[in-house]
Amino acid sequence: MTARLLDGRALAARIEQDVRAEVDTFAAMCGRAPRLVVVLVGDLAASGSYVKSKAAAAARVGIDSEVLRVPETCQTPDLVALVAAIARDEHGPADGILVQLPLPAHIDQVAVLDAVPPDRDVDGFHPQNAGLLSQGRPRFIPCTAAGVQRMLIDAGIPTAGRHAVVVGRSDIVGKPLALLLSARPPSGATADAAGCDATVTICHSRSADLAAITRQADILVAAVGRAGLITEEMVKPGAAVIDVGINRVQGRLVGDVAFAEVSRVAGWISPVPGGVGPLTVAMLLSNTLLAAELRLGRP
Ligand code: NAD
């Protein structure tokens, strides 16, 4: 078998078209475009390039954005104060506020993320948004998890009653994705059209015999950050394999999945780059539009 490719770039472009149309309607009604303010601390090359691609995508769909750069040497209270000032619109209207991670090790990341008002929290990391998601009434869903679910729905990959194995238990990817896939469908939607009703197993660094668990997966998501972790013999024939990982190996970007060999056994596979990454950005745009609509009213 040769796996079908899950093209994240093409899907993200379609999502952007839809967001662009809604942004135009919003701007016509509210007299201004939705606006996103991003805080970038330090000069980590990867973070700089993620922020650049988020700002470029925002511009493509007509969302205004501003990046506030803060030196690496800043302290937690400075950052908390900056986020509070942004929330008071002191840096222009801030419908969505995003603090690019990771923060330097000396910063209290939880304190900074908790300072983002939950109704502007377009990354979906605030405990209130995490709580709403866990109760099955999501507001802002973490972008990467939302992107993976969207990818499954768009490809018509059934989820209802299927076994999804999520490798990685972070608050950013693994946990919210497990909640999304195992949720009840919203009223009126079928489970597969909503990408939910799956039976979900979460694996992590202390899981025993990872391969024995991943081999049971109809849907296998790797969100670890270790190149080549998922090999051919860890994948059930025909499974959908979604690779969230981003690793730099000898200057090249690769995922957590050994792409060439797993492509021989999987039914579907997402590439790195060009898979989940563009969808993460597309979902951020969608969350920013939602934040503006929650604030100023839905057109
Ligand atoms: P994290 O470091 O917070 O979490 C990694 C998880 O992997 C942990 O839960 C850990 O228990 C688990 N793990 C570590 N070693 C393992 C092993 N040998 N076997 C099984 N599980 C193991 O990372 P994160 O923020 O969740 O990100 C995970 C990866 O996804 C990273 O490569 C990150 O760069 C990437 N990422 C990509 C996007 C995107 O848009 N494509 C977005 C966010 C994160």
Side-chain angles (χ1 to χ4, degrees):
M1 168 176 295
T2 305
R4 275 171 275 180
L5 199 69
L6 295 163
D7 184 345
R9 281 200 189 103
L11 175 55
R14 279 187 275 129
I15 295 169
E16 281 189 16
Q17 271 182 7
D18 293 345
V19 173
R20 163 105 234 176
E22 290 179 55
V23 164
D24 288 348
T25 309
F26 176 92
M29 279 201 56
C30 298
R32 69 166 177 84
R35 191 160 176 278
L36 171 69
V37 177
V38 178
V39 177
L40 176 59
V41 183
D43 41 27
L44 212 61
S47 294
S49 105
Y50 293 144
V51 164
K52 217 167 140 185
S53 65
K54 289 170 185 175
R60 282 198 298 275
V61 300
I63 290 176
D64 286 341
S65 72
E66 180 171 358
V67 180
L68 300 176
R69 288 166 197 279
V70 180
E72 167 102 29
T73 50
C74 72
Q75 299 298 319
T76 301
D78 307 327
L79 270 180
V80 169
L82 175 61
V83 170
I86 295 168
R88 289 192 300 271
D89 287 344
E90 287 176 19
H91 294 266
D95 303 313
I97 301 174
L98 181 160
V99 180
Q100 182 65 41
L101 300 182
L103 294 173
H106 68 277
I107 299 286
D108 179 349
Q109 181 169 303
V110 171
V112 175
L113 294 182
D114 283 1
V116 176
D119 56 351
R120 321 257 190 116
D121 170 38
V122 287
D123 257 340
F125 296 161
H126 191 281
Q128 193 182 102
N129 288 316
L132 288 170
L133 176 62
S134 81
Q135 291 187 350
R137 47 191 188 124
R139 178 171 48 189
F140 296 114
I141 301 173
C143 303
T144 305
V148 170
Q149 187 185 45
R150 187 72 180 261
M151 186 177 244
L152 294 170
I153 295 168
D154 184 73
I157 295 167
T159 50
R162 305 301 162 110
H163 190 181
V165 174
V166 178
V167 189
R169 59 177 160 187
S170 72
D171 293 339
I172 293 170
V173 188
K175 258 191 256 175
L177 180 59
L179 286 168
L180 283 176
L181 296 178
S182 60
R184 286 202 185 92
S187 64
T190 65
D192 287 336
C196 47
D197 270 350
T199 302
V200 178
T201 301
I202 302 182
C203 297
H204 47 77
S205 53
R206 304 302 300 270
S207 295
D209 200 352
L210 183 64
I213 304 168
T214 59
R215 270 198 300 271
Q216 299 171 30
D218 302 305
I219 297 163
L220 175 58
V221 182
V224 173
R226 187 188 284 204
L229 177 72
I230 304 296
T231 53
E232 187 175 5
E233 61 280 0
M234 296 170 78
V235 176
K236 177 175 168 176
V241 179
I242 314 287
D243 194 351
V244 176
I246 300 177
N247 309 286
R248 270 164 225 274
V249 175
Q250 291 164 351
R252 233 165 38 94
L253 275 191
V254 297
D256 291 344
V257 175
F259 184 85
E261 61 177 70
V262 171
S263 293
R264 289 196 293 263
V265 57
W268 289 269
I269 190 166
S270 71
V272 177
V276 174
L279 289 177
T280 298
V281 177
M283 292 300 152
L284 172 67
L285 303 176
S286 175
N287 277 351
T288 304
L289 172 65
L290 173 64
E293 288 175 343
L294 289 175
R295 200 167 170 213
L296 296 182
R298 263 172 211 267

